[in-house]
Amino acid sequence: LYEDFATTYYLVEKCDKIMLIDDRGYFYRVRPESIMTSKVSKKNMTLLNTAEKVCNDVKCKYPDLEIPVLRKMAITYMNLYFEILKVGFNSFGQEQSIIQKFLIDNKEQFFRANEISRKEKIKYRMAVSNKITYYIACWMRVLLRRIRNVKE
C-alpha cells in the first residue's frame, strides 16, 4: 500500500522534463491475498512517516504548493484512518493518535483553504470529531459507490 509514494516523488524530482499523457501506462492486478485487498497491518503504518517526509520536503522546496500538499496529506491520513478503524477501533492506537494530532493541528488551515472541496471538509470534520461517525460515513460512501457501479 503506497509503496511507490516516496520513490515516485524523488524520481520525478530528478527529471528535467515531465510529460503528461492521457493513457494508463500500468494496471494493478488485484488478487485475494494481495496487499490491496488485505487488512491494514503494521507495515502499512510506514506510510505516516513517508507521507510526512515527502510532504515536508515538497513544502520546503515549493512553498506555493503548501495547500495542495496539506490536502494530499490529510486525504492520505484520513484514508489510512478508515483502514485502521476497519481492523478495530482500538487498533494501532499510536498511529491513530498521530493522525488525529495532524488533523487537529492543521484544522484551521484546512478549512480556510478555498481549493479544498466542501465534501473533503465534511470528511475532515467527521474524522476529527468522532471515530464512529467517521467510520459509518466512510462505509456509506463505499456502499453508495458500489450501488452506482451495479447500476452502470
Side-chain angles (χ1 to χ4, degrees):
L1 191 60
Y2 300 102
E3 67 274 357
D4 57 352
F5 184 65
T7 309
T8 304
Y9 164 70
Y10 291 110
L11 287 173
V12 167
E13 187 184 36
K14 301 285 183 198
C15 295
D16 294 325
K17 186 177 185 180
I18 298 172
M19 293 179 62
L20 178 65
I21 58 172
D22 192 21
D23 187 26
R24 292 180 184 198
Y26 63 92
F27 297 91
Y28 286 106
R29 180 178 297 239
V30 181
R31 299 179 323 275
E33 69 281 356
S34 81
I35 196 166
M36 304 259 316
T37 57
S38 61
K39 285 185 177 179
V40 72
S41 68
K42 193 70 175 169
K43 181 180 169 187
N44 301 111
M45 297 307 128
T46 60
L47 176 61
L48 293 173
N49 293 333
T50 303
E52 184 178 19
K53 184 177 179 341
V54 170
C55 291
N56 286 337
D57 196 32
V58 171
K59 281 194 302 190
C60 287
K61 291 179 182 172
Y62 311 100
D64 55 319
L65 295 178
E66 186 171 4
I67 297 301
V69 166
L70 172 62
R71 181 183 173 275
K72 174 68 176 171
M73 198 158 164
I75 290 170
T76 300
Y77 276 23
M78 287 187 291
N79 290 340
L80 182 59
Y81 188 43
F82 177 52
E83 293 302 317
I84 289 170
L85 295 179
K86 284 181 354 187
V87 173
F89 283 81
N90 296 320
S91 301
F92 303 102
Q94 183 180 358
E95 289 79 4
Q96 284 192 48
S97 296
I98 291 168
I99 292 168
Q100 283 294 316
K101 181 176 180 348
F102 170 84
L103 294 174
I104 290 166
D105 290 350
N106 292 282
K107 187 176 176 181
E108 285 183 36
Q109 186 179 10
F110 192 86
F111 284 102
R112 273 188 273 130
N114 294 329
E115 304 90 339
I116 297 173
S117 74
R118 184 172 181 254
K119 183 173 80 171
E120 289 168 340
K121 289 179 180 179
I122 291 168
K123 184 177 178 181
Y124 195 103
R125 189 172 308 246
M126 283 192 286
V128 172
S129 65
N130 185 303
K131 241 185 243 201
I132 296 169
T133 305
Y134 180 67
Y135 180 75
I136 291 168
C138 287
W139 267 116
M140 287 176 64
R141 284 188 63 215
V142 169
L143 294 174
L144 287 172
R145 207 174 300 133
R146 288 180 184 168
I147 289 168
R148 273 190 230 117
N149 289 340
V150 169
K151 288 180 180 179
E152 295 171 354

